[in-house]
Amino acid sequence: MQKVFERPKGLTDAEFSYCAGCLHSTTHRLIAEVMDELDIIHQTVGVCPVGCAVFMYEYMSCDIIEASHGRAPSVATGVKRMLPDRVVWSYQGDGDLASIGTAEIVHAAGRGENISVIFINNTTYGMTGGQMAPTTLIGQKTTTCPTGRDPHVNGYPIRVCEMLATLDGPSYIERVAPTSPAGLVKTKKAIKHAFQNQIDGKGFSLVEVLSNCPTNWRMTPIESFKWIDEKMSEVFPVGVFVDR
Ligand SMILES: Cc1ncc(C[n+]2csc(CCOP(=O)(O)OP(=O)(O)O)c2C)c(N)n1
Ligand code: SF4
């Protein structure tokens, strides 16, 4: 019998610890599929964040390094500069990348480091109980803003792609939403483009994935996909911001 669908080699046999319907799992799979297709598992180094993806080293077949709070782009920079023949990617949530690691991501992008960054924006600190993140939408309720984000008290959401796109360093920046079959195909294509850019020596790439946190959003997975498509993508529009 012909096999038409199988577990990518880029994933280990470990079971994901993510909540049901969480797009962290889907995005892991897409990264693994891209590593398979580019045949780069044995020359790849991933850098994990703090947050729910902290256990990513259990799931990926490539080498993985754990970085402390927000420091993943700096760790990835060090690895890539020491081992320029490796494909080096970081995987970071919005609490990790857009809050604690703001300086690291801005300067790695500004330097045009030849690394690929996968940025998971779920508008919340998932792992630590759903606190407000720099990407939390105006009016969105979280455990630390139970009446909804008020811009006069809590400030406005930060758009990472738009902000980094003002710099000369990045070679590729795209925001995607894997909430539909078409969105999944686009997300995988974007991740592959970010990895290929690095292999071609083009410099810094970042793919922002509009993601969900059904647990802390208090939604079913299907409701969370709808919320991404209807509410989140209004503030964080999908599209290509830089490709050169
Ligand atoms: C003030 C503060 N500093 C540091 C931490 C440590 N910490 C643990 S998980 C995490 C980030 C979680 O959010 P995110 O990066 O969005 O990942 P998610 O869990 O949503 O995937 C942080 C910052 C913390 N909880 N609070
Ligand atoms: S807490 Fe949220 S982000 Fe973390 S695994 Fe569960 S659904 Fe995903």
Side-chain angles (χ1 to χ4, degrees), residues 24 50-53 69 93-96 100 122 124-128 131:
H24 270 308
V50 295
C52 286
H69 306 85
D94 45 86
D96 183 273
I100 313 172
N122 61 12
T124 195
Y125 284 46
M127 182 195 228
T128 45
Q131 296 98 322

Side-chain angles (χ1 to χ4, degrees), residues 18 22 24 49-54 69-70 91-100 119-129 131 133-135 211-213 216:
Y18 301 114
C22 177
H24 270 308
V50 295
C52 286
V54 72
H69 306 85
Y91 184 98
Q92 302 177 258
D94 45 86
D96 183 273
L97 181 144
S99 181
I100 313 172
F119 167 41
I120 307 297
N121 179 2
N122 61 12
T123 70
T124 195
Y125 284 46
M127 182 195 228
T128 45
Q131 296 98 322
T135 46
S211 197
N212 61 351
C213 181
N216 290 300

Side-chain angles (χ1 to χ4, degrees), residues 3 8 16 37 46 54 79 126 143 187 203 222:
K3 221 182 218 179
F16 290 142
E37 286 174 21
V54 72
V79 174
T143 50
T187 303
I222 289 175

Side-chain angles (χ1 to χ4, degrees), residues 29 41-42 45 61 63 67 72 76 89 92 96 145 149 151 153 161 179-180 182-183 185 193 209 213 215 232 238 241:
R29 184 184 168 101
I41 297 171
H42 299 295
V45 182
S61 307
D63 284 339
W89 49 271
Q92 302 177 258
D96 183 273
C145 52
R149 183 181 193 142
V153 180
C161 288
T179 50
S180 65
V185 171
H193 190 48
V209 179
C213 181
T215 302
M232 221 178 138
V238 296
F241 294 86

Side-chain angles (χ1 to χ4, degrees), residues 94-112:
D94 45 86
D96 183 273
L97 181 144
S99 181
I100 313 172
T102 331
E104 275 74 10
I105 196 64
V106 169
H107 289 284
R111 295 191 305 268

Side-chain angles (χ1 to χ4, degrees), residues 90-173:
S90 74
Y91 184 98
Q92 302 177 258
D94 45 86
D96 183 273
L97 181 144
S99 181
I100 313 172
T102 331
E104 275 74 10
I105 196 64
V106 169
H107 289 284
R111 295 191 305 268
E113 292 295 340
N114 195 24
I115 58 172
S116 312
V117 177
I118 313 301
F119 167 41
I120 307 297
N121 179 2
N122 61 12
T123 70
T124 195
Y125 284 46
M127 182 195 228
T128 45
Q131 296 98 322
M132 180 168 39
T135 46
T136 299
L137 305 193
I138 306 277
Q140 186 183 346
K141 292 180 180 170
T142 75
T143 50
T144 49
C145 52
T147 55
R149 183 181 193 142
D150 174 355
H152 302 297
V153 180
N154 313 117
Y156 292 84
I158 292 176
R159 295 183 182 89
V160 168
C161 288
E162 286 84 340
M163 182 174 73
L164 297 182
T166 64
L167 303 170
D168 295 330
S171 80
Y172 171 56
I173 297 181

